[in-house]
Amino acid sequence: MKKYVFRVGVQVEPMEGTQLPEDCAGAYVNVYLGADEIREAIERVEIELLNDCYMPVLTYEAYQLDLEERDYDTDEEGYPGNADLIHLQENGGIWYGPFNLYPPEDIQLQ
């Protein structure tokens, strides 16, 4: 069991073998996991992303979730609810939220 659950926001780019679409330059994703400290959470997220063929290029946020004081249940698809977050804290694992894709720079709208 880990002391805390963290949400780590990361910008990723595709690597060989990635599940991102070919016409995608990258994505933003929130990753949820249990860890004893924030540095452990960030390092583990980066390792897991690399193992899953997502190149982390920028970690733009990382913070501890307050499972006792806040309700994380949501109707939004792809995000973990309270039970999922407690499971991550007690049993380990990692949860990728939705990947918010962005196109290559040369085809972005001006």
Side-chain angles (χ1 to χ4, degrees):
M1 179 161 169
K2 296 296 183 175
K3 289 183 184 177
Y4 309 107
V5 174
F6 290 91
R7 174 181 155 171
V8 180
V10 184
Q11 178 185 2
V12 297
E13 292 180 351
M15 296 171 55
E16 187 174 330
T18 189
Q19 292 186 32
L20 294 176
E22 287 184 26
D23 62 347
C24 165
Y28 294 94
V29 61
N30 291 313
V31 184
Y32 302 83
L33 74 160
D36 291 329
E37 61 180 1
I38 198 165
R39 172 58 31 213
E40 173 191 352
I42 293 168
E43 289 173 359
R44 187 158 156 241
V45 164
E46 291 173 354
I47 290 167
E48 293 290 336
L49 286 166
L50 283 168
N51 288 340
D52 290 338
C53 301
Y54 303 109
M55 173 63 71
V57 293
L58 175 67
T59 297
Y60 56 87
E61 71 178 0
Y63 59 90
Q64 175 187 329
L65 301 180
D66 187 350
L67 300 180
E68 293 181 13
E69 297 292 325
R70 186 136 187 252
D71 182 7
Y72 292 98
D73 282 335
T74 179
D75 291 334
E76 292 184 67
E77 189 174 329
Y79 291 96
N82 296 332
D84 302 311
L85 295 169
I86 291 169
H87 180 81
L88 290 173
Q89 182 179 23
E90 293 177 350
N91 302 302
I94 196 161
W95 183 296
Y96 292 144
F99 282 73
N100 298 300
L101 309 177
Y102 58 88
E105 205 172 298
D106 60 346
I107 64 170
Q108 287 182 345
L109 297 176
Q110 298 291 326

